[in-house]
Structure formats: structure tokens, C-alpha cells
Amino acid sequence: MMDTLILGTSDNDISEAAELIKQGEVVAIPTETVYGLAANAFDENAVRKIFAAKNRPCDNPLIVHISSFDMVYDIAKSVPELAYKCAELFWAGPLTMIMPKKDSIPLVTSGGLDTVGIRFPSNPIAQKIIEKCGLPLAAPSANLSGSPSPTNAARVYEDMSGRISAIVDGGESDVGVESTVITFENDGIRILRPGGISREDLLRVCDNVIVDEGVSSKLPSGTVARSPGMKYKHYSPKADVILIDSDIDGFRKYVVENKTDNTYCLLFDEGEAVEGVPYLTYGDDSIEQAHNLFERLRQFDEMGAERVYARCPEQSGVGLAVFNRILRSAGFNLIKL
Ligand code: TXA
Ligand code: MG
């Protein structure tokens, strides 16, 4: 156990965060998606500390964060043609592109793969920290493995106090769900994890954009996941989350007939309340839902919820990312009425 320093966003504090990272330590940093646990992507020992702090399986690769496009050439062996177009439209921003990795990126960082996910975050604090380090930073979401990703510094502290050197408090994350992860194949794009950049956005780059089967369904056992993260349990609060795909009347009826003690609802808005059943709301549109989802899952834990019936989000635009996350937090327990 170590003391975890809380830093702000003054030039001094940012310099201190960068200094710790350059010395091989792990520092939680804000990004526009969720908070990340950052370390020098080139330094095996530093990267091992990330895996230890999270209890993360060592075959689940980390995303490498950069603060200028040119840093791609220090990390990727070759850059797919479509990646330039994606970068032009969506970097800096919540898009991670998988590319063949250079030997400079240790296998510890890439979870043993010969590819690496690269992201140029738009959050100005994240950019400043990467710039000050002068290094690409490996950074997974700053939660304990399996828990909902943190979207503010207090939630990072909850999971990481005593496990990392410092946390830079940059306020609330803007998007609230992690970046879109894509890979390039057959002159097209495959979405491995939906996020802030939607399929509809990516269709501006090329007309061949496939959503991987693993995004909206459980991969059959025995299949090799294209993205190792797909096979692990994710975003789970202590409560059993049950996702209900129905209109509001069907939803209410189902909750009334099936509720037990400590049952809660996750609703779009308070107008949907079910009499006698406590609830939280996560918003009427996909942007709001993405922004709120992980925080609500953590709030249910604090409230001692044992079961949560959740309204099913739209699956278009950023909604696909919301659906993907809530489906996993429900352990794929989706009831269609
Ligand atoms: O928005 C984000 O992406 C956040 C912030 C901190 O940048 N980071 C994040 O990292 O969500 P993490 O480690 O929690 O999720 C990374 C996902 C995992 O599902 C991992 O399996 C996948 O990206 N991934 C990373 N590198 C990969 C690769 N080379 N091939 C396939 N999947 C990869
Ligand atoms: Mg994560």
C-alpha cells in the first residue's frame, strides 16, 4: 500500500504527475471518456504496475495514448490508409485504432498481441500530461477489473486509493463511456467496442463498417475474441441488473410482478416511476445516458440495491455503446417483452 496523492490541474500539479509517470509510477488521469490509469507505455515494469493495481488479467491489452499524430510512428509498425482518414475526422477524440505494433511497445503493454490500440484523447489535461512526459502513455480505465469505469476522481479514489501514486482531478468525464475501438480489415472498419464515435460517424470514412458479433451478444464459448476485453465480466455492480426491452407499460407490469426486497429501477426519466419502487434516472437521450450510466451503477451499490430493472437504451449512435455496457453489466440478462 502507498499514499495516493490527489493533484489538481495547475501547471505545478501537472508537472508533478508527469514527473511521477517518467519515474515509472502509475497516475490516474482524466480523459474525455473515463479516467485512465497512466504509465509509460515503453516501460514494462511501469506497465506491470497498472495490471497489478487493477487486478487485470495479463492477456487484456492496454490502449496507448498520444498527444500528437506523429507519435503514432513511434508505436505502429505501419499505418493503415483508412487510419489517416479516421484521424483527420475523429482525432483528437474517443476513437482507438488498432495497428501493427513496433518492437518498442513491450508485449506486456499489448497483452501479448502483435498489435496495439492507439488513442489521441481530446481532454486538454490528458494532452498536457502526455506532452509533459514526452512519452506515449498506456492507460486502461481507472477501475478495479470488472467494476464500472470511473467518470470522476472520487470514484477513482474509491477503487485505487493505496494502489497508485496519484490521481489528477480534472472534474467529470464528458462522454462517460470508453472510446470506440476499431480495427481495419478488407478495406473496411470493424467495431470491436462501440463508444463515443458511432458507426454512423465512421460511415463518413468508408461505407464498409461492421459491428463485431461480440458487441451485442455473448460470444459462444470456444470462440477467440477479436478483442480480449470482450471475454471478461465487465461493468458489474453488486446488484443483479436485468435489462428490459419493452414499452413503459410492459416494463411497469413486469417490475410490479417480479420485484423482491431491495429492487430498484434504472429509468430514462422520473415520469416512468413504478409505484413503491425506488429508482435512479439516466437520461432520455443516448448522450445523457452515456454520461450517467457508470455513475448510476456505482450509486446502486451505495444504496444497497440487490436487483435493478433497467430500461433498455436505443441502439443507434452512441446508444449502441450504452447498450453494450449495460448488457455486460447485466451479464447478458436481457428480457424482451
Ligand atoms: O476511452 C478509453 O478507451 C479509456 C480511456 C482511459 O482512454 N480506456 C479504456 O481502456 O477503456 P480499457 O483497457 O479499459 O479497454 C481497452 C479495450 C479492451 O477491451 C481491450 O481488450 C481492447 O480495448 N484492446 C486494446 N488493445 C487491443 C488490441 N491490440 N486488439 C484488440 N483489442 C484491444
Ligand atoms: Mg476498462
Side-chain angles (χ1 to χ4, degrees), residues 21-26 37-51 62-77 100-110 116-118 130 133-139:
I21 293 170
K22 285 198 280 185
Q23 286 163 16
E25 297 303 325
V26 177
L37 285 186
N40 177 356
F42 293 140
D43 179 346
E44 272 186 38
N45 284 326
V47 170
R48 280 205 184 88
K49 290 182 188 172
I50 297 179
F51 282 90
L62 307 181
I63 293 172
V64 175
H65 296 67
I66 58 176
S67 57
S68 71
F69 186 87
D70 282 349
M71 289 173 84
V72 164
Y73 302 114
D74 302 331
I75 301 165
K77 203 176 193 167
K101 79 166 192 68
K102 271 195 165 163
D103 292 341
S104 58
I105 293 292
L107 288 166
V108 178
T109 303
S110 68
V116 59
I118 307 178
I130 301 165
C133 291
L135 291 164
L137 302 184

Side-chain angles (χ1 to χ4, degrees), residues 33 61 76 136 148 164 283 296:
T33 56
I164 59 172
R296 295 296 175 268

Side-chain angles (χ1 to χ4, degrees), residues 34 54 56 60 140-143 145-147 149 178 193 234-235:
V34 299
K54 279 184 68 92
R56 182 175 174 109
N60 196 1
S141 51
N143 50 284
S145 200
S147 295
S149 301
E178 306 85 343
R193 180 179 72 181
H234 264 319
Y235 319 116

